[in-house]
Amino acid sequence: MEHRHMDGVQKNAPKKRKTTWKKDPAAVKEDILTVATEAFAAHGLSGANINEIAEKTSTSKRMIYYYFGDKEGLYRSVLERVYSSLREIEQALNVADLEPIMALRRLTEATFDSHVKNPQFIRLVMIENIHNAEYARKSDVIPTLNKAIIEKLADVCTRGKAAGVLRDDADPLELHWMTSSASFYNVSNKATFTTSFGNRLFTEEGQKRIRNRVVDMVLGAVVIDYLPRKGG
Amino acid sequence: MEHRHMDGVQKNAPKKRKTTWKKDPAAVKEDILTVATEAFAAHGLSGANINEIAEKTSTSKRMIYYYFGDKEGLYRSVLERVYSSLREIEQALNVADLEPIMALRRLTEATFDSHVKNPQFIRLVMIENIHNAEYARKSDVIPTLNKAIIEKLADVCTRGKAAGVLRDDADPLELHWMTSSASFYNVSNKATFTTSFGNRLFTEEGQKRIRNRVVDMVLGAVVIDYLPRKGG
DNA sequence: TGACAAATTAACCGCAAGGTACATAAAAAG
DNA sequence: CTTTTTATGTACCTTGCGGTTAATTTGTCA
């Protein structure tokens, strides 16, 4: 009971505490995670500020520590949540009954588009890479999440080779690497690329061209006698 | 350096100051920049610690502030320095007297290799992108640096089209985008990619394959009737 | 209805880390 | 040789921010 700094004069008159509130743990957690996701994606692990996060939630800083332990715990939860939500999108994709080349085209386009649509995810993955993926690696869900897309690509490869339309050195993992690299970079490096070269490739037009280019590159790498369409 | 708890004896005895030293501003600045580059590349702008940086230099924290003003100033200097040093590498590359396709192959390979060889640069660019390139944009050298590579590609395109070996929609900036995206991602996302899919693509073998794939992708996108070689 | 656990609030703490004050040696200027 | 400017060293200050303490309310279950 040491009010050491209250020498004498009414310093720190206690704010009136809220007299009533509802219990809603799930909503509180969600609220915190939503705000924290934005903060970590914007400023990174060390750059994000717990006090600021707390202010933007409808609850208090104490609750963050109550539910997530510490800053790192909060970050880990954010990471897992955003990884998981993206996996759902990937799993929803159904190309099993398209013919192989069309399936591959669709998968590539879908990957490209989902990257464009989820910049927050991209930023968090960038941040993870800065940290050498140490938090993703600690997670026991994240390392298992991306299997879905690889399986789909593997299926396409198998079918494509059987049909004689894909080169027999086509490899699902390499295919994913190619698609990912283009799709990821397109979002992750937009800022510096624009700084160096202007935004010509990042207008609506430019992005359409790039998207087609990516498809052509990927198909061109594995489809036998692939003929890219002309122009953008 | 806590002298506070040395109760009684020798409390706060000022450390004997170095009685003699040489002036060497240039070396001191270089020393600081070298250490700071490592620190910022490893931990980002907010994550890097000025005290730690100071300890690793052969000089004192005071000098960091003397020469660079504040943390942000130091970061900006680091950024400009690594950008500039990479530009020199690019400029040294001479492909003007190779035939167009070979020239393009060499440029692509060189870009891929230089990314692999300069992970610190990659990390700093990643960090800049997290910050929406605000510091790179403020710089008055960085935005002008990457012109060299584009000019080389433009020359190759012109010659290639004239010789009838390159598609007439081949575009230097797009070519650079393709090469960069693959080369950059290969380094920047190694950690998370490995976490998800194992390190098969990052062994010596795997990297050779990837490198060849990248060349094939780029050439395949612009060379008329390009025939990729088989296998890895 | 009252004990107990779970959820929430406001206030506080410690210290790490960015930044500064001040003294002084080395070199340059005059 | 004196003065001034540049470069350096040591100690220190301030506060932002991650994390805690302690009290209080809400809901549950004997």
Side-chain angles (χ1 to χ4, degrees):
Chain A
M1 260 296 147
E2 279 273 51
H3 286 234
R4 265 195 248 161
H5 301 295
M6 297 180 64
D7 20 6
V9 273
Q10 261 295 357
K11 198 170 171 183
N12 280 346
K15 234 179 262 175
K16 197 122 177 211
R17 132 178 318 208
K18 255 188 222 169
T19 56
T20 181
W21 40 271
K22 279 284 281 290
K23 280 195 177 187
D24 193 350
V28 168
K29 276 197 234 178
E30 255 312 287
D31 181 24
I32 293 173
L33 284 174
T34 304
V35 175
T37 300
E38 199 133 339
F40 284 126
H43 310 295
L45 175 49
S46 51
N49 181 318
I50 294 277
N51 290 307
E52 273 178 31
I53 292 175
E55 272 165 33
K56 286 181 187 163
T57 65
S58 52
T59 177
S60 67
K61 177 163 69 160
R62 180 65 184 80
M63 297 311 291
I64 295 175
Y65 287 95
Y66 185 68
Y67 285 121
F68 302 99
D70 58 8
K71 196 185 191 181
E72 190 183 311
L74 178 60
Y75 174 78
R76 281 212 313 270
S77 300
V78 162
L79 202 64
E80 292 197 349
R81 180 158 161 280
V82 65
Y83 257 91
S84 302
S85 79
L86 214 70
R87 164 233 224 160
E88 283 167 29
I89 296 176
E90 273 173 358
Q91 277 182 333
L93 233 134
N94 186 6
V95 296
D97 30 61
L98 294 178
E99 54 100 3
I101 295 180
M102 195 52 178
L104 189 50
R105 157 169 265 125
R106 283 284 166 81
L107 283 176
T108 306
E109 290 172 345
T111 300
F112 187 89
D113 294 341
S114 86
H115 278 67
V116 169
K117 236 192 279 182
N118 291 280
Q120 261 185 352
F121 171 77
I122 306 286
R123 295 178 68 87
L124 285 166
V125 174
M126 293 166 76
I127 288 159
E128 257 308 276
N129 276 299
I130 296 284
H131 293 273
N132 295 311
E134 72 166 290
Y135 303 100
R137 232 182 279 129
K138 276 184 202 163
S139 165
D140 31 39
V141 283
I142 292 179
T144 76
L145 284 185
N146 298 63
K147 308 295 182 201
I149 186 75
I150 298 293
E151 278 162 25
K152 289 193 169 69
L153 284 168
D155 172 60
V156 168
C157 281
T158 311
R159 292 194 289 128
K161 288 174 192 174
V165 295
L166 290 192
R167 292 170 55 182
D168 59 305
D169 63 344
D171 177 83
L173 190 54
E174 281 179 25
L175 272 170
H176 180 64
W177 186 96
M178 291 186 236
T179 311
S180 272
S181 63
S183 303
F184 195 96
Y185 180 89
N186 186 51
V187 179
S188 70
N189 284 46
K190 177 177 173 177
T192 52
F193 195 94
T194 300
T195 299
S196 289
F197 307 111
N199 75 329
R200 203 185 96 206
L201 300 187
F202 294 95
T203 60
E204 203 170 329
E205 294 289 291
Q207 285 285 288
K208 265 187 214 159
R209 267 184 80 90
I210 291 288
R211 186 176 186 268
N212 286 334
R213 283 288 194 209
V214 172
V215 173
D216 284 348
M217 274 187 344
V218 173
L219 295 187
V222 291
V223 173
I224 293 170
D225 295 328
Y226 179 70
L227 276 191
R229 93 203 68 132
K230 273 250 165 164
Chain B
M1 297 276 151
E2 281 279 40
H3 286 230
R4 250 187 255 162
H5 301 297
M6 298 176 62
D7 19 359
V9 268
Q10 271 283 6
K11 193 170 176 182
N12 275 349
K15 231 180 262 172
K16 196 114 176 220
R17 131 180 319 211
K18 260 186 220 168
T19 55
T20 182
W21 37 271
K22 278 283 285 293
K23 279 195 176 190
D24 194 350
V28 167
K29 275 198 235 180
E30 256 311 288
D31 181 24
I32 293 172
L33 284 173
T34 304
V35 175
T37 300
E38 201 133 336
F40 284 125
H43 310 294
L45 175 50
S46 51
N49 182 319
I50 294 278
N51 290 306
E52 273 178 31
I53 292 174
E55 273 165 33
K56 287 180 187 162
T57 66
S58 52
T59 177
S60 66
K61 177 162 70 158
R62 177 71 185 76
M63 296 313 291
I64 295 175
Y65 288 95
Y66 184 70
Y67 285 121
F68 302 98
D70 57 9
K71 197 185 191 182
E72 189 182 312
L74 178 60
Y75 174 77
R76 280 211 313 270
S77 301
V78 162
L79 202 63
E80 292 197 349
R81 182 156 159 280
V82 324
Y83 258 91
S84 303
S85 79
L86 214 70
R87 166 233 223 156
E88 282 166 28
I89 296 176
E90 273 173 358
Q91 277 182 334
L93 232 133
N94 186 8
V95 296
D97 31 58
L98 293 178
E99 53 100 4
I101 295 181
M102 196 50 179
L104 189 50
R105 157 168 267 126
R106 284 286 166 80
L107 284 176
T108 307
E109 290 172 344
T111 300
F112 187 89
D113 294 341
S114 86
H115 278 65
V116 170
K117 237 191 281 183
N118 293 281
Q120 261 186 353
F121 170 77
I122 306 285
R123 295 178 68 89
L124 285 167
V125 174
M126 291 166 77
I127 287 160
E128 255 310 275
N129 276 297
I130 295 283
H131 293 274
N132 296 310
E134 72 167 290
Y135 303 100
R137 229 181 282 128
K138 273 183 203 164
S139 165
D140 32 39
V141 283
I142 292 179
T144 77
L145 285 185
N146 298 62
K147 308 296 183 198
I149 186 75
I150 298 293
E151 278 163 25
K152 289 192 169 67
L153 285 168
D155 172 59
V156 169
C157 283
T158 310
R159 291 193 291 129
K161 288 175 192 173
V165 295
L166 290 192
R167 292 170 55 183
D168 59 305
D169 62 346
D171 177 84
L173 190 54
E174 281 179 24
L175 273 171
H176 179 64
W177 187 97
M178 292 187 237
T179 310
S180 272
S181 62
S183 304
F184 195 95
Y185 180 90
N186 185 51
V187 179
S188 69
N189 284 46
K190 177 177 174 177
T192 53
F193 195 95
T194 300
T195 299
S196 289
F197 307 111
N199 75 329
R200 202 184 96 206
L201 300 188
F202 294 95
T203 60
E204 203 171 327
E205 294 289 291
Q207 285 285 290
K208 266 187 213 159
R209 266 182 80 91
I210 289 289
R211 186 175 185 268
N212 286 334
R213 284 287 196 210
V214 172
V215 173
D216 283 348
M217 274 188 344
V218 172
L219 295 188
V222 292
V223 172
I224 292 169
D225 295 327
Y226 178 70
L227 277 190
R229 93 202 69 131
K230 274 249 165 166

